[in-house]
Amino acid sequence: MKLLHILVAEDNHADVILLREALQHHRIEHELHVVSDGQAALDFVGRMGSSPETPCPDILLLDLNLPKVDGPTILQEFRNHPDCAHTPVIVVTSSDAKKDRARIAEFDRTTYFRKPSDFDEFMELGAIIREAINDRDAPASN
Amino acid sequence: MPSIVGRYTFAQFGADCLHVMREGKPYVVTDSELDERTAQVRDSYRLTLIRSVIFVPLLKEGRSVAAMAVHDATPRQWKQHEVELVQRVAGRCWESIERARVSRQLHEREQRYRFLAESIPQMVWTAAPDGKLDYVNEQVTSYFGTTSGSVLGQGWLEWVHPEDRLNIVERWKHSLETGERYETAFRLLRSSDSSWRWHLVRATAMLSLHGETARWFGTCTDFEDQKQAEIERRRTQELLQMVIDRVPGLVSYFDSDLRYAFTNSHYSEWFGAGPFVGRKVSDVVGEEAFARAWPYMERAFAGEEVRFEEFLPYHSSKPRYVQVSFSPHRTQHGTVNGVVATVQDITAQKTMEEALRRSEERLQQVFRQAPVAIIVLRGKDLVAELVNPFYQNLLQGRELIGRRFADVVPEIGSDVLQASHHVMETGDPYVRDEFYIPYDQNGDGANEDHWFNLVYHPLREPDGSVSGVVTVCNEVTVQVRARQELERLNRELEEFAYVASHDLQEPLRMVNIYTQLLLRRHGGDTPQAREYASIIHTGVNRMEALIHDLLTFSRIIHSEESPASLVDLSAAVAEATSVLRDRIEESRASIAAQQLPTVPGDTAQIAQVFQNLLSNAMKYQQSGTRPEIRITAECDDVNWTIAIKDNGIGFEPRYAERIFGLFRRLHKDEYPGTGLGLAICRRIVERHKGKIWAESTPGNGSTFYLALPCRKEKT
């Protein structure tokens, strides 16, 4: 697997560390582009593809509860970008609220991952990322 | 010689002439020129050419009633025998005069009686002692249309009404035999119109000197007209009585002795059996009622028409409210002979009036004291007609009555007036809750926010037209503010709950995960490290459970009241067992549920109740015993009662209530829990208008009961 550009919108640094652990655990070569609040995420999305520092990512890991701007708004902007309409998105959140799941379900190629309290379960995120990329690369089956 | 008849008095022939003759003696003058007794009256003698005269009186029963005179033109010495002769002639003369006079009188009397008999309107007749008619007057012949010749000598039985014949024959026979006066009434046929007319027939026997019947004298008096008049009078009286008896109420006449002279039939309905005529008014109505009516009677006897209403406590009738009129009955001379009284029973009317008055009083009271504001607006201009104190309070210091509402509250919104006009125009009531009506209630010149629950009701005239609007309003500003505040708080709490579910759990997740990471990377795998890690892990789990249950509890508190849908209780149990599957398998619990009903409710919430109860039943288990749980249901008319019975450790009955309280745990360490499970159950059941309670004896298991309404309450 080639190097993956992963855009991570996450305000909790501890979760970013765990994400790196999970990627390493699954031997996924990656480059993380981390933004830690909603506004920063929107800024990144606005500049995506315009410079090497802000490439169009291979996948977006999005926390729903970000400061300043909420996750669904960012997700909408991301999808509106011409190059990212079908880019896989994994919503990574500690919320298990039905209304959050319902909002996310409206978006195509979007996976919901609830942050677990167990280390080993968290490491599974790596497998989910790999799977999402594989799905993206596979011929559309639907 | 001129006649002296009628021209001279006896005194003109001598002053003592009359005197002498009154004594029955003759008055003799030999020569008037010489006689001293004629000295004063010689002119009379000379003028009558009388020189000598003999006056003798004509006596009747010894009294001188006339005189006879023999005179000569020359002086004459009258002889005694001449005087006696004149006296004798005078006596004879008088006798014949008398006889002629008597005969003439008899004839006149006969004529008079005949004339009388012919001219009186009755039939007059006479009959021989044997009853045969020997005289009838013209009235008889003209009545029967016959001649006297054919009547006389016989009776008139053929003209008597056949029904009356037998009777009169008997009576007539009796009178003929005994000479008794005959008097009877019968019908006689009148020829002129062939009608039978009633007659009173009388006959009296004229007796001879020997006391025998010499002749019958009789009359027939036609009283048919009187009889008809009497019949007519009686008929009129009956009619009058009937009419007066039909008059509702009493009609009577009483005289100045205060005795009834007339009463109508209603008297016996009021006062029992009559008759009342002749009885004292006070006896009939009773002294007490009489005493109350007496002042009015007095005025009527004084000549006044009196009308009054009184409550009269009659003694032989129930007490009644009556409307009375007394009309004085005046004679021609203006004195009052009696009083016509009419009495109407108006008890029912009075009672109704009284009831109406009371009802109106009550309504007035309700209107005045009603804890809602009421105003009556009249006409298209909505002029305030009636305002209760509560309404006046809404517009303190403003004069309302008689003024246009729009003038009283000029700052009020047009929508309020439009609503009133709408009711006026359509006649449809208008109801609106929490109508936002900003106006200046406190009089500081600035409008404040006010909300009202309003009902505008049309006021209808008897013809159905709308003439006004009754507005009933209730200020709900405080309630609206409180609800708005509550809604704001609820929104904040929801926000809080959402944030809490995320932000409170986040640190715990970090603690958990990083403890694991720390141990793996840096802590080494020692028994002590594992023990410490386990303690951290337990603490975190317990904290997560607490947060979870608290959130559940707060969500139930603030979720909408009265769930609207239906819950299949069997499905709810299935959902609960599905969530608890791992624990059921782990404890090898047996759960037996009979077929359960469907009741109004929220499936997720009821499933939560079963989940908590089943979870408890498995948790509070004697070690080494397999949990056995039975769920049964029973129904009365109102509720389904679900029983969840286990074979667990049970509890002291005195804790049966306490266990449903928040954080009320009976066991701290040996059985982990948040102390919220049963509180959540109670809260959910109460939201379903149901009840939850528990029965138990320590060591013998517990039974939890849920009573849930079969039907949704109508609200």
Side-chain angles (χ1 to χ4, degrees):
Chain A
M1 187 180 269
K2 68 179 181 73
L3 176 79
L4 287 183
H5 287 281
I6 302 176
L7 174 57
V8 182
E10 174 60 77
D11 62 330
N12 188 349
H13 178 61
D15 280 325
V16 178
I17 293 172
L18 289 174
L19 171 62
R20 288 189 200 279
E21 289 283 339
L23 290 168
Q24 278 172 16
H25 185 76
H26 286 274
R27 301 175 200 289
I28 296 170
E29 279 194 72
H30 61 273
E31 186 177 338
L32 292 187
H33 305 270
V34 179
V35 286
S36 57
D37 68 50
Q39 190 52 53
L42 277 187
D43 292 346
F44 190 97
V45 170
R47 292 198 302 273
M48 275 189 317
S50 61
S51 74
E53 289 77 33
T54 56
C56 269
D58 295 301
I59 189 166
L60 166 64
L61 299 186
L62 177 65
D63 186 353
L64 277 185
N65 296 295
L66 287 173
K68 295 181 185 171
V69 181
D70 69 357
T73 309
I74 297 162
L75 180 51
Q76 188 60 56
E77 279 301 304
F78 184 76
R79 279 281 179 252
N80 287 347
H81 194 282
D83 296 335
C84 298
H86 303 291
T87 303
V89 175
I90 299 173
V91 169
V92 182
T93 177
S94 52
S95 164
D96 197 25
K98 278 181 185 169
K99 62 172 183 177
D100 287 340
R101 282 183 180 272
R103 286 178 77 180
I104 296 314
E106 294 167 16
F107 293 97
D108 189 31
R109 286 186 183 269
T110 305
T111 311
Y112 197 96
F113 180 76
R114 187 176 177 213
K115 294 174 183 172
S117 302
D118 183 83
F119 180 78
D120 291 331
E121 284 176 31
F122 203 108
M123 292 304 108
E124 284 306 303
L125 182 56
I128 290 166
I129 291 169
R130 185 190 297 279
E131 205 172 308
I133 295 299
N134 288 343
D135 279 355
R136 183 200 64 176
D137 296 340
S141 58
N142 52 341
Chain B
M1 189 189 74
S3 168
I4 65 168
V5 175
R7 293 172 58 198
Y8 293 88
T9 65
F10 286 113
Q12 283 174 292
F13 294 97
D16 58 344
C17 176
L18 193 59
H19 178 70
V20 170
M21 283 198 291
R22 276 190 180 152
E23 287 181 349
K25 293 174 186 161
Y27 181 74
V28 181
V29 176
T30 307
D31 186 347
S32 59
E33 293 294 324
L34 299 176
D35 201 317
E36 282 177 12
R37 293 175 299 175
T38 60
Q40 302 299 316
V41 292
R42 283 200 179 111
D43 284 350
S44 331
Y45 280 88
R46 288 171 192 154
L47 283 169
T48 55
L49 304 176
I50 295 172
R51 201 58 191 271
S52 55
V53 67
I54 299 170
F55 281 107
V56 289
L58 293 178
L59 299 174
K60 185 185 178 189
E61 291 163 7
R63 280 186 65 224
S64 159
V65 292
M68 189 178 195
V70 173
H71 56 88
D72 200 335
T74 60
R76 184 166 173 162
Q77 192 68 45
W78 300 96
K79 304 277 185 340
Q80 182 60 33
H81 68 92
E82 285 173 326
V83 174
E84 283 173 1
L85 180 68
V86 173
Q87 278 181 307
R88 264 203 308 278
V89 169
R92 287 276 167 80
C93 230
W94 182 248
E95 271 174 23
S96 76
I97 290 169
E98 265 298 273
R99 238 190 329 270
R101 200 176 52 86
V102 166
S103 160
R104 197 179 66 243
Q105 274 183 346
L106 269 176
H107 180 71
E108 280 175 3
R109 196 172 293 165
E110 162 86 20
Q111 284 294 105
R112 206 158 55 232
Y113 282 130
R114 189 170 290 274
F115 180 73
L116 203 64
E118 296 299 338
S119 60
I120 62 172
Q122 279 107 325
M123 293 188 242
V124 176
W125 49 272
T126 58
D130 63 359
K132 292 253 167 54
L133 293 170
D134 55 10
Y135 166 78
V136 293
N137 69 354
E138 258 183 46
Q139 275 73 359
V140 175
T141 53
S142 78
Y143 186 87
F144 295 120
T146 182
T147 62
S148 61
S150 57
V151 177
L152 294 178
Q154 53 179 324
W156 45 30
L157 210 54
E158 59 181 298
W159 292 299
V160 174
H161 195 283
E163 288 175 11
D164 302 337
R165 280 177 196 167
L166 190 64
N167 183 34
I168 67 158
V169 167
E170 291 292 313
R171 294 285 305 275
W172 187 224
K173 225 190 220 168
H174 177 75
S175 284
L176 289 180
E177 282 166 11
T178 60
E180 273 177 25
R181 179 184 156 91
Y182 175 85
E183 179 170 328
T184 185
F186 50 81
R187 283 162 282 180
L188 291 170
L189 183 65
R190 184 161 73 182
S191 68
S192 64
D193 60 354
S194 301
S195 64
W196 294 103
R197 295 179 67 82
W198 279 98
H199 285 73
L200 178 66
V201 181
R202 279 190 181 132
T204 313
M206 288 189 289
L207 298 181
S208 69
L209 290 174
H210 313 294
E212 290 162 350
T213 301
R215 171 163 291 138
W216 289 95
F217 180 81
T219 56
C220 302
T221 309
D222 184 339
F223 68 98
E224 181 66 29
D225 290 343
Q226 288 95 307
K227 195 170 175 85
Q228 288 303 327
E230 171 66 17
I231 290 169
E232 185 60 24
R233 196 184 62 78
R234 231 179 260 166
R235 221 172 59 81
T236 307
Q237 198 175 13
E238 277 170 16
L239 202 68
L240 199 66
Q241 179 81 39
M242 193 187 79
V243 168
I244 290 175
D245 286 349
R246 293 300 179 283
V247 171
L250 307 180
V251 179
S252 65
Y253 179 91
F254 49 85
D255 55 26
S256 52
D257 284 346
L258 301 173
R259 287 179 190 280
Y260 288 110
F262 173 85
T263 59
N264 72 349
S265 64
H266 296 301
Y267 267 81
S268 49
E269 289 161 22
W270 286 39
F271 303 111
F276 299 98
V277 170
R279 285 177 62 190
K280 292 281 257 182
V281 174
S282 54
D283 288 348
V284 172
V285 304
E287 290 294 346
E288 211 182 335
F290 179 77
R292 292 208 188 174
W294 172 242
Y296 303 104
M297 286 185 191
E298 257 189 324
R299 282 163 54 195
F301 276 111
E304 192 186 334
E305 287 273 350
V306 186
R307 283 175 163 276
F308 64 95
E309 288 181 8
E310 262 288 356
F311 179 76
L312 293 184
Y314 293 118
H315 80 144
S316 54
S317 168
K318 61 185 180 187
R320 300 169 199 242
Y321 268 105
V322 287
Q323 188 176 55
V324 180
S325 98
F326 287 150
S327 303
H329 169 228
R330 293 166 193 279
T331 62
Q332 284 174 324
H333 313 295
T335 54
V336 176
N337 262 6
V339 167
V340 176
T342 65
V343 183
Q344 304 288 334
D345 186 351
I346 54 167
T347 310
Q349 184 190 332
K350 276 277 166 191
T351 312
M352 200 191 293
E353 274 173 18
E354 180 67 10
L356 264 176
R357 198 182 55 73
R358 282 204 198 130
S359 147
E360 191 172 318
E361 231 168 51
R362 275 198 297 273
L363 278 176
Q364 278 281 350
Q365 205 171 10
V366 168
F367 179 74
R368 282 195 304 272
Q369 298 180 353
V372 288
I374 306 172
I375 185 169
V376 176
L377 299 172
R378 194 64 82 164
K380 284 196 165 59
D381 288 342
L382 303 173
V383 174
E385 184 180 276
L386 215 55
V387 175
N388 76 344
F390 232 81
Y391 198 97
Q392 188 63 61
N393 267 349
L394 296 177
L395 292 165
Q396 280 173 16
R398 301 200 207 190
E399 185 62 42
L400 276 155
I401 300 297
R403 297 182 60 202
R404 282 157 43 102
F405 186 71
D407 295 342
V408 177
V409 201
E411 72 271 30
I412 205 139
S414 60
D415 49 350
V416 179
L417 296 173
Q418 272 164 14
S420 299
H421 285 303
H422 178 77
V423 174
M424 281 291 291
E425 282 157 21
T426 63
D428 295 334
Y430 178 86
V431 180
R432 183 148 162 197
D433 282 345
E434 295 180 8
F435 196 165
Y436 174 58
I437 304 175
Y439 76 99
D440 182 13
Q441 189 178 78
N442 58 17
D444 64 355
N447 289 354
E448 313 97 39
D449 290 339
H450 296 279
W451 285 265
F452 291 91
N453 287 351
L454 285 170
V455 179
Y456 292 166
H457 215 274
L459 270 179
R460 287 186 189 277
E461 293 301 297
D463 67 0
S465 62
V466 179
S467 65
V469 180
V470 185
T471 305
V472 179
C473 53
N474 201 7
E475 175 151 19
V476 290
T477 305
V478 172
Q479 292 89 318
V480 169
R481 287 244 164 81
R483 205 198 55 239
Q484 286 174 341
E485 182 64 13
L486 196 68
E487 282 168 357
R488 193 182 60 78
L489 282 173
N490 275 347
R491 274 197 306 276
E492 283 179 6
L493 205 71
E494 262 176 47
E495 203 79 1
F496 164 80
Y498 180 81
V499 170
S501 71
H502 182 266
D503 292 6
L504 286 181
Q505 290 186 41
E506 272 301 278
L508 290 175
R509 195 169 55 79
M510 290 303 123
V511 171
N512 220 18
I513 279 189
Y514 277 89
T515 306
Q516 286 176 306
L517 191 57
L518 193 64
L519 277 174
R520 288 186 192 185
R521 298 283 161 79
H522 308 288
D525 193 10
T526 66
Q528 203 168 34
R530 278 201 297 276
E531 190 193 346
Y532 295 164
S534 165
I535 290 169
I536 292 171
H537 187 66
T538 305
V540 166
N541 282 351
R542 178 156 160 64
M543 191 67 192
E544 276 182 338
L546 263 174
I547 290 166
H548 176 266
D549 283 358
L550 268 176
L551 287 174
T552 306
F553 189 73
S554 80
R555 264 200 299 273
I556 291 160
I557 285 173
H558 296 100
S559 61
E560 280 173 29
E561 287 299 319
S562 293
S565 55
L566 290 172
V567 47
D568 175 351
L569 293 180
S570 289
V573 169
E575 194 173 316
T577 51
S578 144
V579 172
L580 296 169
R581 189 171 51 227
D582 289 352
R583 299 221 357 237
I584 292 167
E585 281 172 6
E586 197 180 306
S587 63
R588 298 188 303 117
S590 105
I591 299 174
Q594 72 173 73
Q595 183 64 40
L596 297 177
T598 297
V599 295
D602 179 316
T603 303
Q605 290 188 358
I606 297 294
Q608 177 81 60
V609 172
F610 282 119
Q611 185 185 319
N612 290 5
L613 292 177
L614 292 174
S615 165
N616 280 355
M618 291 185 286
K619 188 191 330 180
Y620 299 105
Q621 191 51 260
Q622 288 153 20
S623 56
T625 311
R626 188 179 160 203
E628 283 175 11
I629 302 164
R630 293 170 54 81
I631 304 177
T632 55
E634 265 179 39
C635 183
D636 59 24
D637 280 349
V638 184
N639 290 317
W640 274 102
T641 302
I642 317 297
I644 298 107
K645 182 172 170 56
D646 65 45
N647 60 342
I649 56 171
F651 54 84
E652 294 280 354
R654 63 183 165 183
Y655 296 127
E657 190 52 32
R658 184 185 165 86
I659 54 177
F660 292 100
L662 271 176
F663 301 113
R664 298 292 183 183
R665 304 192 58 221
L666 297 183
H667 314 276
K668 278 282 181 204
D669 299 327
E670 59 271 55
Y671 300 100
T674 61
L676 280 165
L678 289 176
I680 289 169
C681 289
R682 167 156 285 184
R683 178 64 204 152
I684 291 173
V685 172
E686 282 175 356
R687 273 199 63 241
H688 285 72
K689 314 278 184 221
K691 275 185 191 159
I692 183 167
W693 69 99
E695 290 170 2
S696 177
T697 42
N700 271 332
S702 315
T703 307
F704 283 78
Y705 295 96
L706 305 178
L708 295 168
C710 304
R711 280 173 292 275
K712 189 167 166 58
E713 266 180 31
K714 281 176 186 151
T715 50

